[in-house]
Amino acid sequence: MTAETPYERQEPLLGPQSLSKLRAARAAVFGLGGVGGSAAEALARSGIGALALIDKDTYSVSNLNRQLFATGETIGTPKVEAAAERLRLISPGIELELHRLSYTPDTAWQLDFTRYDYILDCIDMVTGKLAIIERAYRLGVPVISAMGAGNKLDPTAFRVGDIYETSVCPLARVMRRELKKRGVERLRVVYSTEPPMSAALDGDGKPIPGSVAFVPPVMGLIMAGEAVKDICGVK
């Protein structure tokens, strides 16, 4: 009887060489919140050989409703450390590099993008997103970027496309404008065609983005799926 393996169900879909391609690949996930946490776990479960996890924050109580690695035991724990502990349980042979930092033009020198075969931008800060995307574009490193997942209730409204084909999403509108200024001619993104709901306001009148358990993780899974298919050469 043939021994059971963790990947025997995906090989018929991705091809017989898929596992060797994934094991040889190194991906970087920027942001381990509702989107990035699910993306990172999906990559680990797919057999990715190495992952770089980049996030400065710690898990808080407000993360429990949607962020995969947030539990009662990980509150106050750096996100990269909580993620690493779980991913090693899922894929014991995975190689992990942890970077507890917020990626900005000022911290960019700390990471060598040429080491990565694929980059997943799962952060929500425009300055950081632009820094990631522009650098990856200049170096020719494949990157997929998350657009807005806050204030949404419809996980079936996500689409994959080029940034210059997007509509509805306010974040995508800003990114189109800023990327055009920087000469970035293309970018694969996951975006929602659902108009965002009105955000609640805090005591200072600032918007508080709403988020639910069944929207950001779906975006992360879509991003991971695109990365896995690209690495395996599946069209």
Side-chain angles (χ1 to χ4, degrees):
M1 180 181 244
T2 305
E4 188 177 29
T5 75
Y7 310 107
E8 61 188 37
R9 298 294 183 92
Q10 74 179 34
E11 184 176 302
L13 299 173
L14 296 177
Q17 303 302 317
S18 61
L19 186 55
S20 61
K21 291 179 180 178
L22 286 164
R23 281 178 172 161
R26 179 183 299 272
V29 179
F30 287 79
L32 294 169
V35 176
S38 291
E41 179 158 317
L43 289 171
R45 289 189 183 276
S46 297
I48 197 86
L51 266 182
L53 306 175
I54 303 99
D55 198 305
K56 185 179 181 178
D57 293 338
T58 59
Y59 284 111
S60 64
V61 172
S62 65
N63 299 150
L64 288 170
N65 80 316
R66 69 197 181 283
Q67 299 193 16
L68 189 61
F69 305 127
T71 69
E73 294 183 348
T74 63
I75 299 304
T77 303
K79 291 186 176 183
V80 292
E81 294 179 10
E85 182 176 355
R86 179 173 168 92
L87 296 182
R88 290 189 179 109
L89 293 174
I90 294 168
S91 181
I94 195 169
E95 178 187 339
L96 297 175
E97 57 179 87
L98 311 184
H99 300 277
R100 193 178 176 192
L101 63 85
S102 177
Y103 192 86
T104 68
D106 293 332
T107 61
W109 62 271
Q110 298 184 48
L111 296 178
D112 179 5
F113 277 29
T114 63
R115 300 181 66 237
Y116 307 135
D117 299 294
Y118 216 97
I119 290 172
L120 292 83
D121 158 36
C122 305
I123 67 174
D124 53 15
M125 185 175 65
V126 171
T127 302
K129 296 179 83 67
L130 292 171
I132 293 166
I133 293 161
E134 185 173 10
R135 189 174 181 195
Y137 181 78
R138 304 296 179 214
L139 293 171
V141 180
V143 59
I144 188 167
S145 180
M147 296 294 102
N151 298 322
K152 306 291 178 70
L153 283 176
D154 185 4
T156 69
F158 286 123
R159 302 288 183 270
V160 179
D162 187 83
I163 184 64
Y164 295 109
E165 300 169 353
T166 57
S167 61
V168 181
C169 176
L171 176 57
R173 182 170 61 249
V174 173
M175 294 296 292
R176 288 196 304 269
R177 182 183 68 237
E178 295 302 320
L179 290 172
K180 187 174 183 179
K181 290 179 184 177
R182 290 161 172 78
V184 176
E185 297 178 349
R186 62 190 176 278
L187 171 68
R188 185 182 292 188
V189 299
V190 181
Y191 68 102
S192 176
T193 58
E194 176 190 8
M197 302 176 69
S198 298
L201 302 178
D202 64 15
D204 297 323
K206 296 180 180 179
I208 306 172
S211 197
V212 291
F214 47 86
V215 174
V218 173
M219 177 179 269
L221 292 175
I222 293 171
M223 293 177 72
E226 293 299 303
V228 167
K229 289 184 288 185
D230 283 350
I231 291 167
C232 294
V234 176
K235 303 298 182 184

